[in-house]
Amino acid sequence: MTHSVNSGSYCACRNMKIVNRKLQRDYEILEKLEVGIMLTGPEVKSVREEKLSLDNSHVKVIGNARFLVNADIYPYLRAPKGMQEPKSSRKLLIHKSELLRLQTKIHRASGLTIAPVSCYNKGALIKLEIALVRGRKDIEKRK
C-alpha cells in the first residue's frame, strides 16, 4: 500500500502575495529587507488563504525586538473560538546585525520609520518584506 507524502496537507508550492497598497502612496521606500514572522498555526492557515491586511500596520521596537503592529489577520474559521486575536502584535524574526543597522539609520536621520511592504510564502515559510521609509508630504502624495 503506497501513501503519498503530501496527502491531505497544504501544498506549499502555491504562491501567495499580499501587498500593502497604501505604502507606495504615503511613503518613499529607501531600502527593503526580508524577515520572518512568528505566527500561530491558525494564523498561518489564514495568511495562506490571503486573509491578511497590511494597510494600517507598522513595525515597532519593543525592547530589543521588532514587532508587526496593527496587521489584521482574520480568524481562521476552523480554529477554536478565542484562540486568535486579529490585531495582536507579531514578533519579526530578524538578524541582530540587520536590526542594529536599521536602528542606526533611523537614529541618524529624522522622519524615517519601518513599514511592511508585502507578505508572501517562500516554500512552506511565511515571509514579510519590510522597508525603511520616509513619509511623503500631502503635495507629494497627489503626484
Side-chain angles (χ1 to χ4, degrees), residues 4-11 45:
S4 110
V5 176
N6 225 4
S7 65
S9 66
Y10 174 77
C11 177
K45 290 181 179 184

Side-chain angles (χ1 to χ4, degrees), residues 53-71:
S53 174
L54 296 172
D55 288 343
N56 295 317
S57 61
H58 61 280
V59 178
K60 186 176 182 180
V61 180
I62 301 174
N64 283 335
R66 294 273 175 189
F67 287 85
L68 179 64
V69 180
N70 270 348

Side-chain angles (χ1 to χ4, degrees), residues 2-135:
T2 6
H3 294 286
S4 110
V5 176
N6 225 4
S7 65
S9 66
Y10 174 77
C11 177
C13 56
R14 186 177 147 248
N15 289 334
M16 173 268 313
K17 187 166 186 175
I18 301 161
V19 179
N20 187 349
R21 296 180 303 255
K22 292 183 179 181
L23 186 75
Q24 292 288 336
R25 184 190 66 204
D26 295 342
Y27 298 98
E28 172 189 357
I29 297 174
L30 304 175
E31 179 183 341
K32 291 182 181 180
L33 181 67
E34 179 186 84
V35 298
I37 182 168
M38 193 178 288
L39 300 170
T40 63
E43 289 174 340
V44 170
K45 290 181 179 184
S46 286
V47 171
R48 284 183 179 158
E49 290 179 354
E50 298 185 21
K51 295 185 178 181
L52 165 69
S53 174
L54 296 172
D55 288 343
N56 295 317
S57 61
H58 61 280
V59 178
K60 186 176 182 180
V61 180
I62 301 174
N64 283 335
R66 294 273 175 189
F67 287 85
L68 179 64
V69 180
N70 270 348
D72 198 7
I73 298 179
Y74 302 104
Y76 185 62
L77 296 177
R78 296 183 195 143
K81 299 285 181 198
M83 191 171 179
Q84 301 175 69
E85 292 180 39
K87 292 270 187 184
S88 70
S89 300
R90 281 126 183 131
K91 187 174 182 178
L92 298 180
L93 307 172
I94 181 171
H95 288 283
K96 192 173 186 176
S97 60
E98 292 173 340
L99 178 65
L100 291 173
R101 187 174 54 82
L102 286 176
Q103 284 179 334
T104 55
K105 285 184 179 185
I106 289 172
H107 290 297
R108 284 184 186 164
S110 64
L112 296 182
T113 189
I114 300 174
V117 178
S118 64
C119 184
Y120 54 91
N121 68 319
K122 206 174 200 183
L125 303 174
I126 305 291
K127 296 291 184 174
L128 186 73
E129 185 176 36
I130 60 174
L132 186 64
V133 295
R134 177 178 287 126

